[in-house]
Amino acid sequence: MASRAMLLPLVFLAVLSTVKLTAAVRDFPELSHLKTKTSPDVQREAARGVISRLVKDRAADFDVDVNPDLGPKERDTFRLSSTKDGKILIEGTTGVAVSMGLYYYIKYWCNAQRTWAGQQTELPPTLPVIEKPVVITSNDRFRYYKNVCTESYSFAFWQWDRWEQEIDWMALHGINMPLAFAGQEAIFQRVYFQLGFNQTDLDEHFGGPAFLAWARMGNMRGWGGPLPQAWITSQLILQHQIMRRMFDLGMTPVLGGFAGHVPAAITRLYPHANVTRLGLWAGFNSTYSGTYLLDFEDPLFKKIGGLFIKETINEFGTAHLYNADTFNEMTPASNSSEYLSRAGRAVFQGMLAGDEKAVWVMQGWLFLDSSGFWGPEQAKALVTSVPQGRMIILDLATDLIPAYPNFDSFYGQPFIWCMIHNFGGTSELYGTVDVYNTQPFKGRTFPNSSMIGIGITPEGINQNEVVYEFMMENTWRTEPRDISKWTEQYVLQRYGANNAAAMSAWSRLMSTIYNCTDGHHDGDLVLFTRRPTINAGYDIWYRPLDMFLAWQSFLTASQELEGNQLFRYDITDVTRNSLQVITYFYYYSMMESYKVNDTAGVTSAGEK
């Protein structure tokens, strides 16, 4: 997110490493209604569609069945077996489970892979036989996907063809709880028109397409707008396609909710409404920030919240999950427990006014505020303002700064262990693979753990694909893996060839660049996305030489692999990152020369 807390040392991870792994994850009967309502037949056909788009003319080699009773309740299970006629039978509890089973098979039997950059899915002429049926059950009830920011950094201008690819990617990687935010401006428009607002009022309120993430969270208003009506309508139509496909696959998508942010015109239309303004955000002035916040006890709060949920359900249907973030990177007006409890109750009551089965999904990013506002008393007041089990907290950056140990597993509210990754939509090779390999397991066994799932919450996608392949296997892995062996399999799956130079490159990357252990996060070294400064410094968690040696290995591997789509992506990516590091050193040299009035040094480094 644009304004970020300073990352603290990974002290929480050290604490977790000493915890005795004996506690059991709690069950939440209050969440039992959060399950697919789509028939097995519809889910089966949706899964067949995923298979057809992935392996095309080889789709007939796979048989599919959806059986909700195949595995334990509230867990996804798939079963793989070979049939007498040489086909592979994939059975699953949902369409997502079937898709996950397909991906497991083509990865570990056929050495194939499907990522954002493309796919390597050249299947052998005869599919490998499964001698003994394989049955795998997910560790958690939910696998969440997306950050509110992802909608703006990466998805803002997608059409259905790109969305279809992404939903396929979600299903293959086991995602069953995706954020589905498209089209909500059309719903807000409908609600606000009912309340007397006009289009001019909304033009000043809605952000532009690429800035909607922060307009929806109340950080800014009007910036990048106004939204053309054609865009609002097209997003409404697109959301119908998105929701239909997600429902068909058995997913439980998270829709938008009302967090209390309202158009400025409310002071004209409702002069007696109790309204305050949030503070300015990220350097924006009062024209574009200082969003108006409706008081939590004003009757309009519950009315708007209920109308929005009802209109949303009437338009798209629902899985009863709604996201709302009132205080994202914004300091509340009071730190009193009473005030924060009222805030939480109001948001939830607004949801209940439209859906009595509503569950509030809240990003836990606010609890990482560096100002120290969110102490245990304040956090507890907010999260316990909602009945236990009716709020799900996304511990949004558990891989970097886990919040759940600091807040007693969120005082009993269920939470999802999330890998945030990719601050600011930047392009930089980065990962903390040891964390991904161990900490989700410890989250489940933390004393009194209320963990109910894992999630990936990147601010932007289309980067560092190895990280997402590795992390999402925690869906079904039962213990940490041997990273060296996993990397060997990854290279074979990605390129369809066992190339020694490529293996050397990836081994080096995974043990250095992708295994940050000192608290760094990605985005620090991408000069091209930052304002120029004479105070440039460099602070890298790896030896640049390791990057350049990996680069050299990729160049050697290109003699054999240059025709492979994913290899071309990877060698370009490593080249780009190597040039970024080189540029950083030249830039630093230029600034140091500037500070001592060394004109020749500035010119020399600047030219390089």
Side-chain angles (χ1 to χ4, degrees):
M1 298 180 179
S3 175
R4 302 194 297 271
M6 291 294 292
L7 293 182
L8 302 173
L10 299 184
V11 290
F12 294 130
L13 298 185
V15 171
L16 286 178
S17 67
T18 65
V19 172
K20 188 176 181 181
L21 306 183
T22 56
V25 175
R26 298 176 51 194
D27 188 30
F28 288 93
E30 302 88 350
L31 302 177
S32 60
H33 64 293
L34 301 180
K35 55 188 176 183
T36 180
K37 303 178 185 68
T38 305
S39 73
D41 288 344
V42 171
Q43 292 185 64
R44 182 175 61 248
E45 290 309 306
R48 286 187 190 278
V50 174
I51 296 172
S52 296
R53 287 185 291 275
L54 183 68
V55 298
K56 300 179 173 56
D57 58 349
R58 298 297 299 276
D61 292 348
F62 297 89
D63 285 337
V64 171
D65 188 38
V66 173
N67 176 7
D69 299 320
L70 180 66
K73 286 183 62 178
E74 299 172 345
R75 298 290 187 275
D76 266 332
T77 298
F78 62 81
R79 183 180 188 273
L80 304 174
S81 59
S82 290
T83 66
K84 292 180 179 179
D85 58 356
K87 294 185 178 183
I88 299 300
L89 173 62
I90 310 173
E91 303 166 273
T93 48
T94 61
V96 169
V98 169
S99 303
M100 189 165 51
L102 168 73
Y103 197 47
Y104 182 92
Y105 177 77
I106 69 167
K107 281 178 70 174
Y108 287 101
W109 265 264
C110 305
N111 295 317
Q113 192 178 104
R114 156 74 156 83
T115 63
W116 292 310
Q119 63 188 59
Q120 192 287 113
T121 51
E122 188 68 33
L123 303 183
T126 300
L127 291 179
V129 173
I130 302 173
E131 299 292 345
K132 181 181 179 181
V134 175
V135 180
I136 291 182
T137 296
S138 65
N139 292 313
D140 311 295
R141 184 182 303 191
F142 297 114
R143 283 85 59 197
Y144 177 82
Y145 176 46
K146 281 201 294 178
N147 184 306
V148 171
C149 295
T150 325
E151 296 281 331
S152 290
Y153 280 132
S154 298
F155 296 10
F157 301 104
W158 282 6
Q159 300 302 313
W160 170 243
D161 59 344
R162 182 61 185 87
W163 264 106
E164 182 175 58
Q165 295 173 29
E166 194 71 6
I167 297 171
D168 284 355
W169 182 91
M170 295 180 204
L172 292 168
H173 290 81
I175 301 296
N176 67 349
M177 187 182 175
L179 191 66
F181 259 23
Q184 64 177 272
E185 280 64 42
I187 305 301
F188 269 121
Q189 184 184 53
R190 197 176 299 168
V191 168
Y192 284 134
F193 281 175
Q194 291 178 41
L195 295 172
F197 293 83
N198 59 42
Q199 189 57 47
T200 300
D201 300 330
L202 301 189
D203 287 345
E204 296 174 351
H205 182 63
F206 293 149
F211 303 95
L212 280 174
W214 303 278
R216 290 164 175 167
M217 292 185 289
N219 302 116
M220 62 167 66
R221 58 198 184 94
W223 182 264
L227 283 179
Q229 185 60 47
W231 193 90
I232 294 174
T233 303
S234 68
Q235 288 291 298
L236 181 73
I237 296 169
L238 181 61
Q239 177 74 338
H240 275 282
Q241 295 173 289
I242 293 168
M243 292 290 289
R244 183 74 274 141
R245 181 61 56 79
M246 288 178 173
F247 281 145
D248 285 354
L249 282 164
M251 297 178 180
T252 51
V254 179
L255 294 163
F258 176 63
H261 313 120
V262 289
I266 193 169
T267 58
R268 183 189 80 243
L269 294 168
Y270 296 89
H272 300 297
N274 191 352
V275 182
T276 57
R277 295 189 70 173
L278 291 166
L280 303 183
W281 177 79
F284 286 88
N285 62 30
S286 59
T287 301
Y288 297 107
S289 192
T291 303
Y292 289 75
L293 181 65
L294 192 58
D295 185 83
F296 304 113
E297 292 184 343
D298 193 295
L300 271 176
F301 198 111
K302 185 175 181 179
K303 182 177 182 178
I304 296 174
L307 284 173
F308 180 77
I309 296 296
K310 287 177 182 177
E311 289 288 349
T312 297
I313 294 173
N314 289 339
E315 190 71 34
F316 307 120
T318 187
H320 309 295
L321 292 162
Y322 307 98
N323 168 265
D325 295 298
T326 303
F327 299 121
N328 177 70
E329 298 184 1
M330 303 298 294
T331 302
S334 170
N335 68 355
S336 76
S337 297
E338 181 183 358
Y339 174 81
L340 296 170
S341 292
R342 286 195 292 113
R345 283 195 300 271
V347 173
F348 186 60
Q349 288 299 318
M351 294 176 179
L352 289 181
D355 179 0
E356 63 182 10
K357 295 181 178 181
V359 174
W360 180 6
V361 179
M362 184 180 72
Q363 295 190 131
W365 181 252
L366 75 169
F367 298 132
L368 305 183
D369 173 35
S370 62
S371 71
F373 178 92
W374 291 100
E377 180 183 345
Q378 287 71 33
K380 185 175 183 179
L382 181 61
V383 304
T384 60
S385 66
V386 174
Q388 193 166 90
R390 300 300 292 274
M391 171 188 280
I392 297 174
I393 298 163
L394 305 174
D395 197 352
L396 210 67
T398 332
D399 54 328
L400 292 173
I401 321 175
Y404 74 88
N406 217 26
F407 299 111
D408 194 17
S409 205
F410 294 110
Y411 309 101
Q413 291 290 26
F415 79 92
I416 293 179
W417 195 109
C418 297
M419 177 190 81
I420 189 166
H421 209 260
N422 188 245
F423 285 107
T426 53
S427 295
E428 182 173 6
L429 302 186
Y430 175 81
T432 57
V433 68
D434 278 347
V435 172
Y436 315 142
N437 198 32
T438 59
Q439 297 308 319
F441 300 101
K442 292 181 179 180
R444 297 183 184 104
T445 53
F446 186 75
N448 298 314
S449 176
S450 55
M451 178 177 162
I452 58 169
I454 60 171
I456 46 176
T457 52
E459 294 196 355
I461 65 166
N462 301 311
Q463 40 75 30
N464 293 295
E465 300 185 330
V466 65
V467 166
Y468 297 87
E469 291 297 309
F470 191 92
M471 175 63 189
M472 286 315 299
E473 287 192 1
N474 285 330
T475 295
W476 50 265
R477 293 263 181 196
T478 57
E479 61 184 5
R481 71 221 81 171
D482 182 316
I483 296 173
S484 295
K485 291 181 178 178
W486 186 90
T487 304
E488 290 179 11
Q489 293 175 312
Y490 175 82
V491 173
L492 190 55
Q493 293 161 1
R494 192 154 177 86
Y495 306 140
N498 193 358
N499 181 279
M503 186 65 244
S504 174
W506 276 107
S507 294
R508 187 178 296 277
L509 290 173
M510 290 294 279
S511 63
T512 58
I513 285 83
Y514 282 117
N515 195 28
C516 178
T517 59
D518 64 0
H520 275 79
H521 63 80
D522 54 330
D524 284 345
L525 298 177
V526 189
L527 283 174
F528 307 107
T529 63
R530 304 172 72 179
R531 292 176 182 267
T533 174
I534 64 170
N535 295 315
Y538 58 87
D539 186 12
I540 305 175
W541 66 92
Y542 57 87
R543 294 189 312 159
L545 178 61
D546 286 316
M547 175 74 72
F548 304 144
L549 289 174
W551 187 12
Q552 181 63 51
S553 293
F554 272 106
L555 291 173
T556 301
S558 67
Q559 297 171 24
E560 178 186 350
L561 301 177
E562 64 180 358
N564 180 279
Q565 178 188 26
L566 296 180
F567 178 80
R568 291 199 303 271
Y569 176 92
D570 289 342
I571 193 171
T572 303
D573 206 22
V574 172
T575 301
R576 172 200 52 72
N577 211 103
S578 297
L579 292 172
Q580 282 179 193
V581 172
I582 292 169
T583 301
Y584 203 96
F585 286 109
Y586 286 146
Y587 185 83
Y588 178 79
S589 176
M590 182 171 64
M591 292 298 101
E592 290 302 293
S593 296
Y594 175 84
K595 290 176 184 178
V596 296
N597 296 315
D598 178 4
T599 305
V602 170
T603 302
S604 176
E607 287 174 348
K608 291 174 183 177

